[in-house]
């Protein structure tokens, strides 16, 4: 069986190992969603990952409602990403852009307009002051426009030097809002049956494939349990056929964020769907959430996964692959600095060589 440190071909993208850096929202771009110089250092430091999946990167102003997250819909954004991707490549790494439409989770105070979703719903919030507005149900024109935006952002990603893209189809964002019957209340060709709820995802992925090729296209799903107010009454009925549809499209890889009952950042008693998805998706399958090095290797050994994506461990350990290789101790991350704006908790975590010195 393969080791975590063995190379893997992810569509057209050669990865030096099977330890991927999962997408991590960090908030270091400008107010206009333009990447900044500090992001060059951050991604360069983590180029030892087999593949870096960038932080969620907006495909349009309406779709990006997170302060200081980067985008890929303006020329300034494309140009500002170029030093980032160049730095990763110069360090021997590979990087894809996670392209992101937040749907009803786009905050009106950030986007300056009404958010868009599969249906006219409002995302819940754990505090009385809910920053989310009620979304407008997407018309057919809105659906086509959003799919155009995915394709345009993918094209811009390649222009910016990325090796490919990952559509963000997880965590209660727009694609997920179409997939789940708790958020998709439509009665047209994009709602109702699982086949119809899969349609938006399938068409968006197909548009991206038309723009940049299947070998540079991937997607992330979160098939089990509620996430940011999005849930489904029968996830097997929608996510297994969704994975089969993605297999038919021939994408580079599929990443699953799967919650567990004892999860440290979101938990669920809904069983993991990766074993069932593994049966219908024959391409590289990447799993994510709460993995240790040994648990990651065990899932490679079992055949349920071809690679493992790590998130918070990469925040605090820019040289995570080397630490795993040596069995070295890991730094702990500081949640207070995840979404702050400076180098603290971003580019100042030490590598092994720095610690030794």
């Amino acid at each position: 069986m393969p080791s975590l440190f063995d190379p893997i071909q992810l569509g057209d993208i050669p990865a030096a190992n099977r330890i991927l850096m999962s997408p991590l929202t960090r908030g270091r771009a400008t107010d206009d969603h333009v990447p900044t110089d500090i992001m060059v250092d951050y991604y360069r430091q983590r180029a030892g990952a087999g593949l870096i999946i960038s932080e969620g990167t907006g495909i349009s102003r309406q779709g990006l409602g997170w302060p200081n997250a980067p985008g890929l819909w303006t020329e300034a954004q494309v140009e500002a990403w170029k030093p980032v991707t160049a730095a990763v490549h110069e360090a021997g790494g590979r990087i894809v852009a996670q392209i992101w439409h937040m749907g009803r989770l786009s905050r009106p105070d950030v986007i300056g307009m009404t958010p868009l979703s599969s249906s006219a719903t409002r995302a819940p919030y754990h505090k009385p002051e809910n920053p989310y507005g009620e979304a407008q149900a997407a018309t057919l024109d809105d659906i086509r426009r959003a799919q155009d935006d995915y394709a345009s952002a993918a094209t811009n990603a390649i222009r910016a030097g990325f090796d490919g893209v990952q559509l963000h189809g997880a965590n209660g964002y727009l694609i997920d809002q179409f997939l789940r019957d708790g958020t998709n209340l439509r009665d047209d060709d994009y709602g109702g049956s699982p086949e119809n709820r899969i349609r938006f995802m399938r068409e968006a992925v197909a548009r991206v494939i038309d723009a940049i090729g299947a070998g540079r296209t991937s997607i992330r799903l979160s098939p089990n349990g509620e996430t940011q107010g999005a849930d489904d009454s029968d996830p097997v009925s929608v996510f297994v056929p969704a994975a089969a549809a993605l297999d038919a499209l021939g994408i580079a890889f599929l990443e699953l964020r799967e919650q567990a009952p004892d999860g440290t950042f979101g938990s669920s008693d809904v069983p993991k769907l990766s074993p069932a998805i593994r049966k219908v998706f024959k391409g590289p399958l990447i799993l994510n959430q709460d993995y240790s090095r040994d648990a990651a290797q065990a899932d490679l050994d079992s055949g349920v996964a071809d690679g493992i994506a790590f998130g918070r461990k990469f925040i605090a350990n820019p040289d995570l692959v080397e630490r795993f290789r040596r069995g070295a101790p890991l730094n702990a991350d500081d949640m207070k600095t995840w979404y702050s704006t400076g180098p603290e908790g971003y580019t100042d975590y030490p590598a092994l060589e720095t610690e030794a010195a």
Side-chain angles (χ1 to χ4, degrees):
M1 301 304 296
S3 159
L4 283 169
F5 308 105
D6 287 339
I8 184 172
Q9 191 72 26
L10 300 170
D12 293 343
I13 306 168
N17 58 67
R18 295 164 186 253
I19 301 169
L20 281 69
M21 177 173 158
S22 70
L24 295 157
T25 300
R26 302 307 311 274
R28 261 68 174 192
T30 70
D31 291 342
D32 291 328
H33 307 292
V34 177
T36 55
D37 290 344
I38 195 173
M39 293 167 62
V40 177
D41 293 334
Y42 172 75
Y43 283 107
R44 180 196 289 117
Q45 290 173 353
R46 289 154 180 80
L51 177 68
I52 294 172
I53 306 170
S54 84
E55 62 205 280
T57 302
I59 64 173
S60 67
R61 183 166 297 282
Q62 186 180 42
L64 184 57
W66 188 270
N68 302 109
L72 266 171
W73 72 85
T74 72
E75 198 63 27
Q77 292 163 352
V78 172
E79 290 301 313
W81 271 117
K82 288 180 179 179
V84 176
T85 59
V88 171
H89 291 150
E90 288 165 5
R94 296 288 184 269
I95 182 170
V96 299
Q98 188 191 60
I99 52 177
W100 191 24
H101 193 303
M102 297 177 69
R104 69 178 189 167
L105 293 167
S106 285
R107 287 167 39 183
D109 64 312
V110 176
I111 63 176
M113 63 186 82
T114 302
L116 184 75
S117 186
S118 55
S119 302
T121 61
R122 187 183 190 192
Y125 197 57
H126 66 278
K127 297 178 181 178
E129 61 278 14
N130 190 334
Y132 305 121
E134 180 163 317
Q136 62 186 15
T139 66
L140 295 182
D141 284 344
D142 291 329
I143 286 172
R144 284 188 285 270
R145 190 177 304 111
Q147 292 172 349
D148 288 343
D149 289 340
Y150 280 111
S152 177
T155 299
N156 285 342
I158 299 303
R159 291 176 53 225
F162 285 98
D163 296 289
V165 302
Q166 180 190 75
L167 287 83
H168 198 339
N171 298 10
Y173 297 116
L174 184 63
I175 290 174
D176 211 19
Q177 291 161 30
F178 271 90
L179 287 170
R180 296 174 185 257
D181 62 11
T183 46
N184 186 337
L185 313 178
R186 304 174 72 95
D187 59 5
D188 63 358
D189 289 345
Y190 290 89
S193 69
E195 179 183 6
N196 283 357
R197 284 183 278 129
I198 290 165
R199 187 185 306 273
F200 178 80
M201 178 206 73
R202 178 169 47 78
E203 291 179 350
V205 171
R207 287 297 313 281
V208 171
I209 288 173
D210 287 344
I212 67 170
R216 299 193 179 278
T217 301
S218 63
I219 190 170
R220 180 185 232 215
L221 301 176
S222 52
N224 71 314
E226 180 272 338
T227 177
Q228 299 199 92
D231 206 352
D232 193 86
S233 62
D234 184 10
V236 173
S237 72
V238 64
F239 284 101
V240 174
L246 294 167
D247 183 73
L249 289 168
I251 62 172
F253 67 92
L254 169 61
E255 183 199 4
L256 304 179
R257 176 195 175 234
E258 293 193 294
Q259 302 180 90
D262 58 350
T264 61
F265 194 66
S267 61
S268 176
D269 292 325
V270 177
K272 293 183 177 182
L273 269 67
S274 47
I277 287 174
R278 171 83 286 180
K279 294 177 182 178
V280 300
F281 185 81
K282 305 304 181 184
L285 184 63
I286 310 299
L287 301 185
N288 167 260
Q289 185 92 357
D290 282 319
Y291 273 97
S292 65
R293 182 187 66 172
D294 291 346
Q297 185 61 56
D299 273 3
L300 262 62
D301 291 344
S302 74
V304 73
D306 299 296
I308 304 295
F310 294 86
R312 286 164 288 159
K313 288 182 174 64
F314 260 116
I315 288 178
N317 300 276
D319 55 348
L320 181 64
V321 174
E322 189 59 26
R323 287 175 185 269
F324 277 171
R325 196 188 305 274
R326 298 187 195 180
L330 301 183
N331 301 318
D333 64 288
D334 181 5
M335 186 176 181
K336 294 192 302 292
T337 61
W338 286 359
Y339 309 121
S340 55
T341 57
E344 183 183 2
Y346 191 64
T347 55
D348 61 349
Y349 285 106
L352 285 170
E353 288 74 12
T354 306
E355 291 178 353

